[in-house]
Amino acid sequence: MVLEEENQQNTTNNNIYEFPPIEILNVPQKNKSNIHEISDNAATIQKGLYNLGVNAKVTNVSIGPVFTIYEIKLAEGTRISTIEKLKNDIAYLLSAESVEIIKIPSKSLVGIQVKNKERQNVCLREILNSDKFESNKSNLIVAIGKEANGNIKLLDLKESSNILISGSTGSGKTMLLSSIICSILYKANPNEVKLIIIDTKNGVESNFFMNIPHLLIPPVTNIMEACAVLKWIMTDLQNRYNVIVEKNCSNIDEYNQKTEITEKLPEIVVIIDEFEELCESEFKTEIEELMFNITRSAEKVGIYFIVATTKLESKIISGRVKSNFLTRIAFKASFVIDSQLTINSPAAKYLLGNGDMLLKEKWSDKCIRCQATFVSDNEINKIVDFINLANADLINNNNINNNLLDIEQNTNSELIEDSHDEEDPLLNEAVEYVIESGYASTSCIQKKFKFGYARAGRIIDQMEERGIISPYRGSKPRGVLISKKQWDEVNNKYDSKIHTENIEINKSNENINQNDKSNIMEGSEIVEEEKISFIKILLWIFLFPVMLIIFILKNNNLSGWKKAIIIGAIVWVIVYIFS
């Protein structure tokens, strides 16, 4: 049903999305590195290596936000291991805490990586304003940050598939997620890309993006709601797959490029922060099964997952779920095992924190060290405020304020499933509205009756089951299969049938009531008889012994055999009563 809502929004929404201007973002800081100091360090490295018996030449210096890399050309016959053994000596020459020896990719050079004295943030404006970002035609290109050498790093979600982000609390995971969302807001039209944000821990950061037109549903902050959302995504994935296969296409890109397609399928980016909260809940088994089934085939139908977590133990997040996340990002890890589970390397344990991260791209064995993009709360508020003001019509058409999933009215996930089989009390009114309008869709039902998406979807399903509307047909609206006259005839027959059934039920109830009355009277008589018998027994049990004792005490002159006869008679009477 989510797929139909997406297509209906695209069909009814003819407004043009106005992108936020780059000028509302903070201006990046100027590089505070001292050029003279860097030149002196380059000369010191070259001279120091010569004194240590290594003939090398510094060919280039790359200044990054956190590190400065001195690229050196080794003389022929010099091994890289020779330089690696001299790390501590080089750090001593530069008065640095430590240095790292790295290989420069695609170059026959070795890099000496030295930490800068002053660290700089990577501003979002600097990334979005770059030629690399602006010239990229993908609407799912997102800002990641800068590499250690200062090069801008971007990721295309279409190529990266699903992304798994790990790191300790405060290491920069949520900030990176905010940067990714802002990148989409600057690059993608809401008719082309939809967002689903799930943050069940506190939901504070996700509330910044409330009401933006890209949201398919409001940010989800409840675990039970998140489980329901994943179920709907699974249904939407199957619907998308069927629609794509019908057009003999293998993926969403081929489908959207078909000339006969009137409306393209929007791509969906699902962002989940603090994923361990879902995996440690009572719905753990169900959520893991849904995540595994969705993520293994979601890329082909245009659904992409970005999941952030602080815990990666197999008892919390199973290995088969992680196997579908081929792009990995590791921020500073609390333990070596967390780094190992993310990028198959302990290196994340030794990162600096505050956005320092390692990126392992899809199908790559090597990690790229980057400084994540920083976007402040003030910048996010400016972006969202501009979008809300400039694109008010888009937001109203998107029906975000109506709580699209109707989850508040269905706080129990089992109740949501069971309610599909019950006829909605407003079904008749909805049918009459659909017949009058001449077409049916979830969004039109939702707008007319002012309730949530899930209930509107169930009404549409019930109409289809009764043959009132046509089955789902991709981007085309559903047709109405009956006329007003036919519906009135069906309704009258149904009402008369209900009336007849009610009369029969009332008659049977009267018969049952009469039988119940007679049964009650008979039962009361039996109870009265039992009470009388019980009282008689009590009297015989307590009175006869008392009378016997009084009689014997007053007649001491009775002989023994007479007393025995009297006692025997009393005992016989008591036994007779009990029998």
Side-chain angles (χ1 to χ4, degrees), residues 38-47 49 55-62 69-74 109-110 112:
I38 291 174
S39 300
D40 293 340
N41 287 342
T44 300
I45 290 173
Q46 188 167 316
K47 182 178 179 181
L49 289 175
N55 190 8
K57 181 181 179 181
V58 178
T59 59
N60 186 38
V61 179
S62 300
I69 299 177
Y70 299 88
E71 300 177 4
I72 60 174
K73 176 73 174 178
L74 299 176
L109 301 174
V110 176
I112 299 176

Side-chain angles (χ1 to χ4, degrees), residues 337 494 497 550:
I337 186 63
Y494 180 76
K497 183 180 178 183
I550 293 173

Side-chain angles (χ1 to χ4, degrees), residues 167-173 201 274 310 332 334:
S168 58
T169 303
S171 59
K173 303 187 302 298
K201 188 167 186 179
E274 305 296 345
T310 57
K332 183 173 177 58
S334 301

Side-chain angles (χ1 to χ4, degrees), residues 124-140:
L124 181 63
R125 177 171 178 169
E126 185 179 2
I127 306 295
L128 301 185
N129 205 26
S130 64
D131 294 336
K132 191 173 182 180
F133 182 84
E134 291 179 347
S135 61
N136 198 301
K137 296 181 180 180
S138 174
N139 55 7
L140 285 178

Side-chain angles (χ1 to χ4, degrees), residues 93-154:
L93 292 173
L94 298 175
S95 301
E97 182 179 348
S98 63
V99 299
E100 295 293 333
I101 307 299
I102 61 174
K103 298 176 183 178
I104 307 298
S106 69
K107 295 181 181 180
S108 300
L109 301 174
V110 176
I112 299 176
Q113 183 173 280
V114 183
K115 183 181 176 183
N116 296 337
K117 291 183 179 180
E118 292 188 22
R119 190 171 183 171
Q120 289 183 316
N121 290 327
V122 179
C123 294
L124 181 63
R125 177 171 178 169
E126 185 179 2
I127 306 295
L128 301 185
N129 205 26
S130 64
D131 294 336
K132 191 173 182 180
F133 182 84
E134 291 179 347
S135 61
N136 198 301
K137 296 181 180 180
S138 174
N139 55 7
L140 285 178
I141 194 76
V142 296
I144 297 298
K146 280 187 175 183
E147 298 180 23
N149 58 8
N151 293 336
I152 290 174
K153 186 62 183 176
L154 306 174

